[in-house]
Amino acid sequence: MTDTAHSNPPPDAAARRAAKPLICYQLDQLPPSNLALYQQARQGMRKLTEITVAPREGGSFEVPAGSFFRIVSVEGAQVGDLNLWHAHDLTERFFSGKTRQLHATHVSTGDRLWSSLPGLRPMATITHDTLDWYGWDEDGAGVHDVIGTRCDPYTNYMLNGVDYHHCCHSNLTRALAVAADIPLTEAELHVHDVMNVFMCTGFTLDTHQYFMKASPVRPGDYIEFFAEIDLLGALSTCPGGDCGSSHSDDSTPCYPLQVEIYQPGAGALQGWSSPPRSGYSGTHGT
Ligand SMILES: [Zn+2]
């Protein structure tokens, strides 16, 4: 609500406003987390492979269930837009809205990335985050948001009247088309709201508008995930760079991001199994 109010407050406005906030989903209601097991397993893990995503581009990677992956800052401060799919079923994909409701507007160690309905299961658990010291700053901003959608050429065209082809939406679309060997038009429909890795964002305190500010990420920082199911991932190095000035153009310095895949030591995950899809009957009352 960025416009001023047009309606007069009712006589009991203060009483209505005084209703107590209630956390919609309590963390202790969620299925138990295996974070302690994963943090033990990460001690003996070894790197299997790595890919580098060039600036203002997209790249894809696969992570088998039971493995770890890291997104690593290299060369300079850079934000990454992350999409995740079930490696064998593109219709099950990261559900940023529900992840936000279950955890918070920004995610870090211990939070899980949940999949879309009707799957609704953890796709990945965050096992380490070198930026978890940041917390919430004086502007109310935090790092790694699940609020923003992704920069896209349609909004850019609406606002600026020009075609720009390296928005995160397009970078992710091209990366998925190659990874899944499907046409661009089909791949685009599978691209979804992202996790904004390393991005520092919040809502303004007065108008609650979405804002960004320069990311605190520096080369060497990383965020690490445990793959709960077989994953296909795509990462875009946002043309906004550190997202401290502009986006959707080539005016900002941009840097690569690295994705590293790790395998835990033998026997480290004893007793662990990949989570099943939601147990809901799916009949919707019929
Ligand atoms: Zn972007």
Side-chain angles (χ1 to χ4, degrees):
M1 194 174 74
T2 50
D3 198 0
T4 51
H6 298 284
S7 306
N8 293 324
D12 63 345
R16 295 193 200 184
R17 285 199 172 108
K20 292 281 175 269
L22 183 69
I23 300 287
C24 292
Y25 299 105
Q26 298 288 348
L27 284 178
D28 58 12
Q29 290 179 289
L30 297 179
S33 165
N34 293 311
L35 184 63
L37 175 69
Y38 304 155
Q39 292 198 313
Q40 211 173 342
R42 68 187 292 276
Q43 300 304 323
M45 66 188 190
R46 63 183 182 88
K47 183 155 63 172
L48 290 180
T49 185
E50 63 183 37
I51 65 149
T52 300
V53 183
R56 301 185 190 88
E57 285 294 346
S60 69
F61 55 94
E62 288 199 49
V63 194
S67 305
F68 294 86
F69 68 100
R70 282 182 186 175
I71 298 173
V72 188
S73 169
V74 289
E75 296 187 27
Q78 174 67 45
V79 161
D81 285 46
L82 176 68
N83 264 192
L84 292 176
W85 298 268
H86 185 324
H88 315 295
D89 176 8
L90 293 180
T91 67
E92 186 176 7
R93 59 196 199 184
F94 172 53
F95 191 174
S96 77
K98 189 59 75 179
T99 298
R100 184 189 322 140
Q101 283 186 307
L102 292 174
H103 294 291
T105 54
H106 300 71
V107 290
S108 187
T109 307
D111 293 332
R112 285 171 268 185
L113 306 189
W114 297 80
S115 71
S116 54
L117 307 181
L120 194 64
R121 57 178 163 177
M123 304 182 84
T125 296
I126 301 173
T127 49
H128 199 78
D129 173 15
T130 65
L131 290 173
D132 61 6
W133 56 267
Y134 194 86
W136 306 106
D137 67 25
E138 289 182 355
D139 297 311
V143 184
H144 309 305
D145 94 45
V146 285
I147 334 169
T149 59
R150 59 208 178 267
C151 59
D152 75 83
Y154 304 98
T155 306
N156 184 56
Y157 186 85
M158 177 175 73
L159 299 179
N160 301 311
V162 294
D163 273 2
Y164 179 69
H165 302 303
H166 290 269
C167 287
C168 290
H169 177 83
S170 299
N171 295 344
L172 293 168
T173 298
R174 292 195 309 276
L176 178 62
V178 171
D181 193 21
I182 52 178
L184 273 179
T185 47
E186 186 183 337
E188 179 171 23
L189 301 178
H190 291 292
V191 171
H192 50 276
D193 287 353
V194 301
M195 172 178 167
N196 277 306
V197 175
F198 303 139
M199 192 168 184
C200 189
T201 60
F203 294 107
T204 56
L205 299 176
D206 51 356
T207 59
H208 292 217
Q209 285 172 287
Y210 186 56
F211 72 82
M212 60 184 193
K213 56 192 283 184
S215 171
V217 70
R218 297 294 180 268
D221 278 321
Y222 65 90
I223 185 165
E224 180 188 283
F225 305 82
F226 176 83
E228 300 277 358
I229 60 175
D230 288 344
L231 292 175
L232 170 63
L235 184 70
S236 165
T237 43
C238 183
D242 70 358
C243 290
S245 49
S246 68
H247 57 83
S248 304
D249 59 49
D250 281 345
S251 67
T252 307
C254 287
Y255 303 94
L257 286 172
Q258 201 159 292
V259 181
E260 302 173 346
I261 317 292
Y262 291 82
Q263 186 179 49
L269 291 173
Q270 204 137 34
W272 175 83
S273 60
S274 189
R277 292 160 67 92
S278 168
Y280 173 60
S281 66
T283 53
H284 304 288
T286 58

